[in-house]
């Protein structure tokens, strides 16, 4: 590909969108040509101002997707708005019709086929028709509880069972994250928020299991995702944002299982709570050979997501048109050099 700048539009200038934008501004060979959001506090403002920079970037945040994409003609849209296919379907179709590649942090898009096979097929067909590629990625789903496990099976001649755990100490994460996992609530308040869907738990465990099974060609009987459970504080925990007393909710946990021939073959354990004594990501592959891997402390979720999104940009530009998943791309890696070198 000719060495022009890779032109990017930021779609969703929220917490992750702002981190991605700042990271891209530091990179060579890439240019942010547009920014899209619906938040009235952001629309009409210069992106530099919303990023907290002391300079204007000349990129005005707009809620007019067609105008931004037809005027800027980007190579890729980095899409970071919402978690569910039902919510982002029209947003994605609105990008695809411009023939623009998409890297999205929408959790369900990491393996949308198990959510809505019809919509996944429509997205795939539309992308092929318009000659662009769509990828759902992130740190989790997207890497730690799926892609990394898939890569770790590479030296195995036999795989019997995969157990993956992610334990996050939320005390050192941002305030909205601590709130999102219910830290500081009573058990009753937590249950009510689960019922009202104000607390959803981790989105993507089902997608991670399906992605692993699809890579290994395991025909699962079913995927079971247990309801979100509170983690109860045994000791007082004080963070910059919450004060959790013993007996109150420190965070949440969730378990999901992939069942094949009546046996549990993929188990995912997700825990995020304030005051966790150790935070880690671990993968156990029981097979020949058995492989145990542990990352300690666990990979930082926000930065990990930014890294995955940014590093997948050249892969998505180069990929064949259609809806792809992390198992379809060539070996993922960092992009420390000029982004154009990876095309
Ligand atoms: N896969 C992963 O590992 C991973 C990791 C991190 C985050 N995520 C997901 O990525 C998404 C973004 O995360 P975040 O923390 O940045 O969320 P956030 O802070 O809520 O930011 C989302 C931004 O998108 C805007 N938005 C919502 N709907 C929109 C639409 N239809 N068109 C344009 N903009 C729209 C929001 O505006 P309003 O505030 O006005 O709604 C907000 O400014 C979330 O769904 C999150 O769960 C995935």
């Amino acid at each position: 590909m000719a060495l022009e700048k890779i032109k990017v539009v930021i779609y969703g200038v929220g917490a992750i969108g702002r981190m991605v934008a700042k990271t891209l501004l530091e990179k060579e060979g890439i240019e942010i040509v547009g920014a899209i959001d619906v938040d009235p506090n952001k629309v009409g403002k210069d992106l530099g101002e919303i990023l907290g920079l002391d300079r204007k970037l000349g990129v005005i945040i707009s809620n007019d997707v067609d105008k931004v994409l037809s005027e800027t003609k980007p190579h890729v849209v980095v899409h970071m708005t919402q978690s569910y296919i039902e919510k982002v379907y029209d947003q994605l179709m609105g990008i695809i019709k411009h023939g623009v590649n998409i890297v999205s942090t929408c959790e369900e898009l990491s393996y949308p086929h198990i959510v809505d096979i019809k919509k996944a097929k429509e997205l795939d067909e539309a992308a092929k028709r318009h000659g662009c590629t769509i990828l759902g990625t992130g740190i989790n789903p997207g890497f730690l509880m799926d892609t990394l496990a898939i890569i770790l099976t590479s030296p195995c001649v036999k795989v019997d069972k995969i157990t993956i755990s992610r334990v996050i100490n939320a005390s050192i994460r941002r305030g909205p994250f601590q709130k999102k996992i219910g830290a500081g609530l009573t058990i009753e308040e937590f249950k009510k928020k689960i019922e009202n869907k104000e607390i959803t738990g981790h989105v993507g465990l089902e997608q991670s299991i399906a992605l692993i099974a699809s890579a290994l060609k395991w025909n699962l009987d079913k995927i079971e995702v247990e309801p979100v459970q509170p983690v109860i504080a045994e000791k007082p925990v004080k963070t910059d944002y919450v004060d959790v007393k013993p007996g109150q909710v420190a965070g949440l946990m969730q378990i999901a299982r992939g069942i094949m021939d009546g046996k549990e073959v993929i188990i995912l354990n997700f825990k995020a709570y304030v005051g966790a004594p150790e935070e880690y990501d671990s993968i156990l592959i029981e097979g020949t050979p058995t492989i145990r891997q542990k990352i300690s402390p666990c990979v930082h979720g926000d930065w990990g997501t930014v890294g995955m999104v940014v590093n997948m940009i050249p892969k998505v530009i180069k990929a064949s048109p259609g809806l792809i998943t992390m198992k379809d791309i060539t070996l993922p890696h960092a992009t420390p050099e000029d982004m154009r070198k990876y095309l």
Side-chain angles (χ1 to χ4, degrees):
M1 188 176 281
L3 286 185
E4 55 184 319
K5 285 222 169 184
I6 300 171
K7 293 191 284 177
V8 179
V9 164
I10 301 288
Y11 193 136
V13 195
I16 297 295
R18 290 193 295 273
M19 289 172 78
V20 167
K22 281 185 182 168
T23 303
L24 291 178
L25 288 173
E26 298 291 312
K27 285 214 165 252
E28 247 187 278
I30 200 154
E31 186 185 0
I32 298 175
V33 292
I36 296 164
D37 205 292
V38 287
D39 182 348
N41 297 317
K42 295 173 191 159
V43 173
K45 296 207 171 123
D46 187 275
L47 181 62
E49 183 187 336
I50 296 302
L51 298 185
L53 307 179
D54 53 10
R55 65 193 160 105
K56 293 206 165 163
L57 296 172
V59 172
I60 304 300
I61 300 175
S62 167
N63 55 9
D64 189 338
V65 179
D66 282 332
K67 188 164 181 284
V68 171
L69 297 185
S70 52
E71 282 178 6
T72 61
K73 300 200 178 350
H75 298 103
V76 64
V77 164
V78 184
H79 172 265
M80 301 155 285
T81 61
Q82 287 157 309
S83 305
Y84 303 100
I85 287 295
E86 196 194 350
K87 297 235 166 104
V88 301
Y89 178 81
D90 289 342
Q91 298 165 31
L92 298 173
M93 280 298 196
I95 305 167
I96 292 170
K97 72 176 186 196
H98 288 267
V100 178
N101 299 302
I102 304 170
V103 179
S104 173
T105 56
C106 169
E107 285 91 337
E108 285 191 348
L109 190 67
S110 63
Y111 203 87
H113 318 77
I114 51 162
V115 182
D116 188 329
I117 187 75
K118 187 168 166 278
K119 284 198 166 67
K121 206 162 166 264
E122 286 166 2
L123 288 169
D124 182 48
E125 285 170 359
K128 284 181 175 142
R129 218 170 33 247
H130 291 278
C132 57
T133 307
I134 327 170
L135 171 72
T137 193
I139 196 66
N140 182 32
F143 188 68
L144 290 169
M145 296 183 104
D146 39 56
T147 309
L148 182 59
I150 294 168
I151 293 170
L152 281 174
T153 64
S154 304
C156 298
V157 292
K158 186 165 156 284
V159 179
D160 298 320
K161 186 173 174 183
I162 301 178
T163 308
I164 307 174
S165 299
R166 176 156 170 80
V167 179
I168 301 172
N169 177 12
S171 302
I172 49 176
R173 296 298 191 269
R174 51 185 164 105
F177 183 76
Q178 296 182 17
K179 202 170 164 215
K180 199 168 119 181
I181 58 168
L185 298 177
T186 63
I187 297 174
E188 276 315 304
E189 287 167 340
F190 183 87
K191 282 187 182 155
K192 208 164 269 173
K193 281 190 190 276
I194 292 276
E195 273 166 32
N196 305 338
K197 297 196 180 345
E198 280 177 68
I199 293 181
T200 53
H202 177 69
V203 185
L205 294 178
E206 225 173 335
Q207 279 67 32
S208 291
I209 290 179
L211 193 64
I212 296 171
S214 159
L216 300 181
K217 305 279 180 233
W218 279 357
N219 194 5
L220 299 180
D221 311 336
K222 58 179 172 178
I223 298 175
E224 294 172 350
V225 182
E226 283 191 4
V228 181
Q229 300 289 344
V231 175
I232 310 300
E234 288 170 7
K235 294 189 278 193
V237 187
K238 195 170 166 39
T239 75
D240 289 346
Y241 308 98
V242 283
D243 210 346
V244 184
K245 296 180 184 62
Q248 285 187 329
V249 175
L252 53 77
M253 57 179 284
Q254 204 166 8
I255 298 176
R257 299 182 180 86
I259 316 286
M260 186 168 65
D261 300 332
K263 281 191 239 149
E264 292 179 2
V265 288
I266 305 173
I267 303 175
L268 305 190
N269 292 301
F270 177 86
K271 272 190 190 179
Y273 61 107
V274 295
E278 188 195 2
E279 53 169 7
Y280 59 89
D281 290 294
S282 72
I283 298 177
L284 168 64
I285 299 167
E286 291 171 69
T288 309
T290 284
I291 292 179
R292 278 171 212 277
Q293 177 252 21
K294 187 169 180 183
I295 303 172
S296 182
C298 68
V299 177
H300 192 284
D302 289 350
W303 278 116
T305 300
V306 173
M308 289 302 298
V309 164
V310 169
N311 293 328
M312 292 314 114
I313 289 174
K315 302 247 175 223
V316 161
I317 293 175
K318 272 169 74 176
S320 302
L323 169 68
I324 61 169
T325 66
M326 284 301 290
K327 76 175 173 47
D328 306 315
I329 60 163
T330 52
L331 192 66
H333 55 79
T335 52
E337 289 288 326
D338 182 327
M339 288 294 274
R340 291 167 293 193
K341 290 190 184 173
Y342 305 97
L343 293 177

